[in-house]
Amino acid sequence: MDAQSRGRADDIDPADQWVLNPQTGNYELRLDHSAGESPVAARTATGADSGHHGDARIGSQRDGSASGDAGPREGAGLHKDSGRSEGSGRREESGRREVPGQRSRRAGQGSGRGADASAAGGAGRRKRKAPKARRKKALMWTGGVTAFVVVAAGVGAYILYERFNGNISTIDIGDAGNKDVLSDGPMNILIIGTDKRTGKGNEGYGDKGSEGHADTNILFHVSEDRTNATALSIPRDLMTDIPDCETKQPDGSTKTIPGTPGVRFNVSLGQQGRNPGCTMQTVEAITGIKPDHFMMVDFNAVKELTTAVGGVKVCMAKPVDDPKSHLKLPAGESVVAGEDALALLRTRHSFGNESDLDRIKVQQQFLGSMIREMKSSDTLTNPTKLFKLADAATNALTVDQGIGSAKKLMTLAQEIGKVDTKNITFVTLPVIDNPAETVKATVVPHPTQAEQLFAMMRSDTSLTEVKQKEKAAKSAQAALLKGPKAAPADVRVDVLNGGEISGAAGATVTWLQNQQGVLKSTNKANAPEKIGKTTLEYAPNQADQARALAEMMGLPAAAMKPGTADAEELEAMVLTLGADFKGAGIPITGPAKAPEGIEKASADKAVCAK
């Protein structure tokens, strides 16, 4: 099976109907079905499959009906069918058009029956009551070249899941991500914007035929309690080491792509056959944070998404006229969509010192504006706009198989949607010019600020001041670190290595005994399985020992795992080192505040690009 694939779109449950209003020419969601209306013939299986499976890769040229016309068309049903059942395309004598094709609720009411048979079949039946309007639900997809797509679904929008399911492209990244949609703790989603020049209208951007690079990259960290999120931009020109990575081939086999030391971050994708799983592993090697999932989009996605939402409001501190990106904008506010939106996100020569770092700032401002537009009442209460946006969003996304369906994306969206916009913080990885270069073209991580920021994210510390009531869920856990502490000589602990550093358990025991005086510590070698975060398991009567060890190790409150039954006299606590462990004597918890000098931006505030 090809590593890239699309879901199949099956027949749609007719709980609600999209009806063409002849007065406006638009399809509208009708909730009040009367018993006297003629039923509509179902689509044929051929028609159901023909509209959405021509190209399994994001960015490939789609026909105009798939990308340019997000809503249903006359005579096409909810899917763009090529085959139709007998009688499904007729007009009624009154001149009304048929509603889009649907599957019959009962056996015998399929596409082969005419109006007479349907009327006879309905004789004597009790009239159904009009179904009550369901509560509106919100979908939120995160993705894009700096575009987190917040998609709100109107009443009954679940009937369109299968349509959207057929839009989504997936890539098998093996063990690089999380097989489950959600994780028990924080979630980390890698947003990748590739510069691959495929699709209609993209041939003129240069670099024709390129496999693409990881051109725009955001590690989107959602806190464990879902009160806040940090969006970390990773510069494409960051010099780093690309690790070995395994990739799935079209024939189902696995191929290992050798790592490359000392290259730009953007070659972690596309080059030498690397897929998004390779980019995810590169991010983990840099930050110590393992992404759970990825979402990837290309140039077409930016154009389609911004058009579907009706444009994104941006603000320029001065007029912009960039002949290279063909971007022309006046000073002050403008609304951009399609080609203009793509030009804004691509330009480097209109802002700051014309570097990629200044372009990242503009992308973050654009993203904040898009999030505000997606969550506005104008979007959330407009069924037609919602349909177009959801259709464009799912067409735009390429994702890992862990979230590769509409249902899985909905589950993920519901979690992300819990974060208030004002608590989403954008920040760029702190860097300095590459000291190895005479002509400065690349950057390297800042020697102190970068690791401090990574430590904050690993310890799930918010960059935004979250209101106290939102912190209430953490207060009980934080209280576990408060209270009397045992003397080091009285601390008894077994240490296991569940992280990535070889020999970590032994090194930690040596440090505890020689540097901290914890003589009753024992090396228990490797844990049964790898874990992401360090944990300390202890009994109620060992709480004073646990607090003492937590202080020595710099453990966060989240690492404390108290039991319910007291331990016996010589029973030891269990410390399991996770992927967040960086070495003996290095505190696992990050600083309480972001390092000085780091620029932050909030998703709820509009800023004019300079």
Side-chain angles (χ1 to χ4, degrees):
M1 180 180 293
D2 197 321
Q4 292 192 354
S5 61
R6 288 189 183 274
R8 283 282 179 186
D10 297 323
D11 288 337
I12 298 174
D13 188 330
D16 298 302
Q17 296 182 10
W18 287 88
V19 182
L20 182 66
N21 186 334
Q23 303 300 322
T24 64
N26 294 326
Y27 278 90
E28 300 172 357
L29 188 65
R30 185 175 66 195
L31 302 177
D32 187 7
H33 315 295
S34 64
E37 290 178 329
S38 298
V40 183
R43 298 189 321 276
T44 63
T46 302
D49 287 343
S50 64
H52 289 282
H53 303 283
D55 190 345
R57 299 197 306 169
I58 248 302
S60 298
Q61 183 173 350
R62 301 183 177 94
D63 64 24
S65 63
S67 61
D69 184 7
R73 297 180 291 115
E74 176 184 354
L78 286 180
H79 293 263
K80 292 171 269 295
D81 301 342
S82 61
R84 299 179 63 83
S85 300
E86 180 182 354
S88 63
R90 301 171 184 166
R91 297 175 183 265
E92 296 181 0
E93 293 181 3
S94 63
R96 291 197 312 151
R97 298 174 184 173
E98 294 275 15
V99 297
Q102 296 179 342
R103 183 177 58 203
S104 174
R105 289 185 183 273
R106 301 175 178 85
Q109 286 187 328
S111 60
R113 299 189 62 179
D116 292 342
S118 176
R125 291 196 182 101
R126 180 183 302 172
K127 283 189 176 182
R128 284 190 305 128
K129 293 182 179 180
K132 295 181 179 179
R134 299 174 180 83
R135 293 183 61 188
K136 296 181 179 180
K137 300 179 181 179
L139 299 174
M140 180 175 177
W141 271 280
T142 313
V145 178
T146 68
F148 299 128
V149 184
V150 184
V151 180
V155 281
Y158 64 88
I159 67 173
L160 300 176
Y161 276 5
E162 289 306 310
R163 175 192 174 97
F164 300 149
N165 208 45
N167 291 344
I168 302 168
S169 294
T170 63
I171 294 178
D172 186 350
I173 56 172
D175 296 329
N178 190 346
K179 301 298 183 184
D180 298 324
V181 178
L182 304 179
S183 57
D184 292 335
M187 294 190 303
N188 296 288
I189 303 165
L190 181 61
I191 313 303
I192 305 173
T194 175
D195 59 352
K196 188 172 183 178
R197 270 74 162 166
T198 55
K200 184 177 180 180
N202 296 328
E203 301 85 356
Y205 296 130
D207 203 16
K208 185 177 180 180
S210 169
E211 290 298 319
H213 306 77
D215 193 55
T216 300
N217 311 275
I218 294 179
L219 181 59
F220 192 68
H221 172 87
V222 183
S223 67
E224 182 175 5
D225 62 7
R226 311 305 189 235
T227 64
N228 63 89
T230 299
L232 174 70
S233 293
I234 302 174
R236 67 176 189 179
D237 294 328
L238 179 75
M239 294 299 287
T240 190
D241 298 334
I242 309 297
D244 296 349
C245 64
E246 292 186 348
T247 60
K248 292 289 185 179
Q249 302 301 299
D251 62 1
S253 63
T254 299
K255 179 181 179 180
T256 299
I257 309 297
T260 308
V263 292
R264 281 178 166 88
F265 177 88
N266 67 348
V267 303
S268 64
L269 175 71
Q271 311 309 299
Q272 300 180 351
R274 295 186 177 110
N275 66 18
C278 300
T279 308
M280 294 170 72
Q281 292 178 54
T282 304
V283 168
E284 183 179 3
I286 294 170
T287 65
I289 302 167
K290 182 175 181 177
D292 296 298
H293 304 290
F294 83 88
M295 293 181 177
M296 182 172 68
V297 294
D298 65 359
F299 285 179
N300 273 350
V302 176
K303 294 188 285 188
E304 293 171 6
L305 291 170
T306 54
T307 300
V309 77
V312 177
K313 186 182 294 184
V314 296
C315 181
M316 302 294 110
K318 60 182 180 180
V320 173
D321 187 355
D322 181 7
K324 293 189 176 181
S325 67
H326 308 293
L327 177 66
K328 290 186 177 182
L329 291 174
E333 289 189 348
S334 300
V335 176
V336 296
E339 291 287 351
D340 287 340
L342 178 60
L344 176 62
L345 296 178
R346 292 184 64 238
T347 184
R348 286 191 304 132
H349 303 287
S350 301
F351 308 106
N353 61 5
E354 302 187 11
S355 71
D356 185 54
L357 297 177
D358 286 296
R359 177 169 62 173
I360 287 174
K361 294 178 184 177
V362 175
Q363 292 171 344
Q364 291 174 345
Q365 293 162 11
F366 179 90
L367 174 54
S369 181
M370 176 169 265
I371 290 177
R372 293 192 296 274
E373 175 62 28
M374 301 295 183
K375 300 189 80 169
S376 70
S377 58
D378 288 345
T379 300
L380 297 179
T381 59
N382 188 328
T384 301
K385 196 172 185 178
L386 292 174
F387 174 86
K388 291 181 178 180
L389 185 55
D391 201 39
T394 49
N395 262 309
L397 292 174
T398 297
V399 300
D400 60 280
Q401 292 181 335
I403 53 174
S405 72
K407 182 177 180 180
K408 291 177 179 179
L409 281 173
M410 164 62 100
T411 301
L412 180 64
Q414 289 173 330
E415 286 295 293
I416 297 174
K418 296 176 182 178
V419 182
D420 194 308
T421 306
K422 68 178 183 294
N423 292 332
I424 299 175
T425 304
F426 299 103
V427 65
T428 303
L429 190 157
V431 295
I432 60 173
D433 289 334
N434 188 351
E437 295 176 337
T438 302
V439 178
K440 305 303 181 183
T442 62
V443 294
V444 297
H446 190 284
T448 58
Q449 292 180 348
E451 179 53 38
Q452 289 176 330
L453 182 58
F454 300 156
M456 287 188 70
M457 295 178 68
R458 289 194 299 263
S459 63
D460 202 23
T461 302
S462 175
L463 296 182
T464 305
E465 183 58 37
V466 181
K467 290 183 179 180
Q468 199 63 39
K469 66 178 182 180
E470 295 172 327
K471 293 181 178 180
K474 288 187 174 182
S475 60
Q477 189 72 18
L480 297 175
L481 295 175
K482 299 177 181 178
K485 300 176 179 66
D490 295 328
V491 174
R492 189 183 300 272
V493 61
D494 292 339
V495 183
L496 293 86
N497 184 14
E500 304 296 333
I501 301 176
S502 179
T508 298
V509 168
T510 299
W511 177 78
L512 285 172
Q513 292 180 347
N514 295 338
Q515 302 295 324
Q516 301 298 315
V518 182
L519 302 179
K520 299 172 184 176
S521 53
T522 305
N523 175 12
K524 292 294 184 177
N526 292 331
E529 60 182 4
K530 300 287 186 181
I531 61 173
K533 290 191 169 186
T534 298
T535 62
L536 176 60
E537 300 173 71
Y538 60 96
N541 61 340
Q542 296 172 322
D544 58 341
Q545 297 181 48
R547 288 189 286 266
L549 186 63
E551 185 176 62
M552 297 176 201
M553 297 284 299
L555 297 179
M560 309 294 281
K561 306 296 180 184
T564 57
D566 283 347
E568 297 182 3
E569 185 177 357
L570 301 180
E571 189 174 348
M573 300 182 296
V574 178
L575 174 67
T576 305
L577 305 175
D580 56 352
F581 176 78
K582 299 304 174 185
I586 300 177
I588 292 174
T589 185
K593 294 184 178 180
E596 292 292 331
I598 290 184
E599 291 187 40
K600 299 183 293 180
S602 175
D604 71 330
K605 295 180 180 178
V607 180
C608 291
K610 299 179 180 180

